Amino acid sequence: MSDAHFWFTEYQNNNLSIGLRIKQIIHSEKTDFQTLDVVETVEYGRLLVLDGCVMTTDKDEFVYHEMLSHVPMHTHPNPKKVLVVGGGDGGVIREIIKHPSVEKAVLAEIDGRVIEASKTYFPHIASGLSDPRVDVQVTDGIKYVEDHPNEFDIILIDSTDPIGPAVGLFAKDFYQSVHRALKDDGIMVAQTESPFANAKLISSVYKDVSEVFPQTHLYLAFVPTYPTGMWSFTMGSKKYDPNAVTECRVSGTKYYTNAVHKGALALPPFVQELTR
């Protein structure tokens, strides 16, 4: 199908949607876990869509992947072993391995078809998956975390929206498992949706993480194709404060800098309210 008059619409809730004019549907399938589509758009290039929700796009993927990765990777002084739960497109892995301290990066993705589709249709995002330091595990990330106590310096939760197979990734008992899987100075970060569209979720996650970790920090980035554009990330840290970061240790980023790192942690008052 190829016709510039077709549109892809993501219904972000009962009252909000985003529409993008499409050139063609490149790929569509029903995996064991979800529907998976790859769509070519006029404005944002290719979209990876899971269960009708935009996961990533050619044009703005770097914002999300850099900010989920580099804020915690710079907060930890020497991250050697990192786990990504979800994130089958490989974008977070690509950013993690830019850090020379990394000796091993594990991807625990429940749906192997997301990994394979990303390799085929988003090779620039999935490029890091072939790095020899990367261990790709097609497995339930919750179970993987439970089975690997005291092993990781950083755990990043690159989940889909809190529906379907990702629901358990937003639960307090999962954050407790993550805490156990981290070393004594470990850090976790989870993507936690939009302050405008998902305020209650952010407050709930922040409260849960605060009850598990000595330090909890919320920070923001701006991803145009995600609901409302403003996106949040919640960090739980056993020791290190992200506000103490003073330098950028990687090159070639398109969004992340040391100044952006500090600015992302400076929350507007209405977002601060979600952490109280």
Side-chain angles (χ1 to χ4, degrees):
M1 181 175 67
S2 178
D3 190 327
H5 296 291
F6 285 99
W7 287 74
F8 165 81
T9 302
E10 177 188 336
Y11 295 94
Q12 298 172 339
N13 61 36
N14 291 335
N15 305 302
L16 178 67
S17 68
I18 180 173
L20 294 167
R21 192 183 299 275
I22 68 172
K23 296 179 180 179
Q24 61 179 326
I25 297 172
I26 297 172
H27 178 79
S28 185
E29 67 174 285
K30 177 72 174 176
T31 76
D32 291 340
F33 299 94
Q34 56 206 335
T35 59
L36 187 161
D37 299 290
V38 180
V39 181
E40 183 78 27
T41 73
V42 176
E43 189 69 26
Y44 282 93
R46 290 181 176 180
L47 313 183
L48 174 63
V49 182
L50 299 179
D51 283 341
C53 298
V54 175
M55 294 295 107
T56 197
T57 82
D58 282 337
K59 189 172 183 178
D60 67 4
E61 58 86 11
F62 64 91
V63 180
Y64 174 85
H65 292 136
E66 289 184 15
M67 291 301 284
L68 179 56
S69 307
H70 294 308
V71 173
M73 292 294 289
H74 283 85
T75 299
H76 196 290
N78 189 30
K80 294 182 178 180
K81 192 169 185 179
V82 183
L83 170 64
V84 180
V85 177
D89 56 55
V92 172
I93 289 287
R94 180 195 65 196
E95 297 304 315
I96 287 168
I97 61 175
K98 289 179 180 178
H99 291 257
S101 64
V102 172
E103 297 173 357
K104 185 175 183 179
V106 179
L107 177 71
E109 164 63 55
I110 198 170
D111 194 340
R113 288 300 305 150
V114 174
I115 298 170
E116 295 309 313
S118 298
K119 288 178 179 178
T120 301
Y121 300 109
F122 300 89
H124 60 296
I125 300 178
S127 59
L129 295 177
S130 60
D131 188 282
R133 292 171 291 171
V134 176
D135 176 15
V136 176
Q137 296 286 326
V138 180
T139 187
D140 181 345
I142 295 173
K143 181 70 162 55
Y144 190 91
V145 168
E146 291 174 350
D147 292 344
H148 292 79
N150 193 35
E151 189 166 328
F152 296 98
D153 299 301
I154 293 175
I155 296 177
L156 304 177
I157 305 162
D158 184 6
S159 65
T160 57
D161 295 338
I163 56 175
V167 169
L169 301 178
F170 291 84
K172 183 177 179 180
D173 57 356
F174 175 62
Y175 303 136
Q176 290 169 330
S177 292
V178 169
H179 187 279
R180 290 190 293 270
L182 288 166
K183 296 178 182 177
D184 290 342
D185 62 349
I187 297 169
M188 68 147 271
V189 172
Q191 76 83 8
T192 44
E193 308 282 308
S194 163
F196 285 105
N198 309 97
K200 290 182 179 178
L201 174 73
I202 293 171
S203 292
S204 175
V205 170
Y206 191 91
K207 177 178 181 293
D208 287 345
V209 174
S210 297
E211 292 174 356
V212 175
F213 285 84
Q215 292 191 48
T216 306
H217 302 271
L218 190 73
Y219 64 92
L220 300 173
F222 298 88
V223 188
T225 50
Y226 287 177
T228 76
M230 179 183 279
W231 211 245
S232 76
F233 306 84
T234 301
M235 175 187 292
S237 177
K238 292 186 176 183
K239 181 177 180 181
Y240 303 114
D241 184 349
N243 292 287
V245 173
T246 58
E247 63 178 348
C248 180
R249 301 195 296 255
V250 297
S251 60
T253 56
K254 297 169 69 176
Y255 190 92
Y256 179 88
T257 64
N258 182 246
V260 168
H261 177 116
K262 292 185 180 301
L265 290 154
L267 303 178
F270 86 97
V271 180
Q272 291 180 30
E273 287 295 323
L274 304 180
T275 68
R276 292 171 183 159

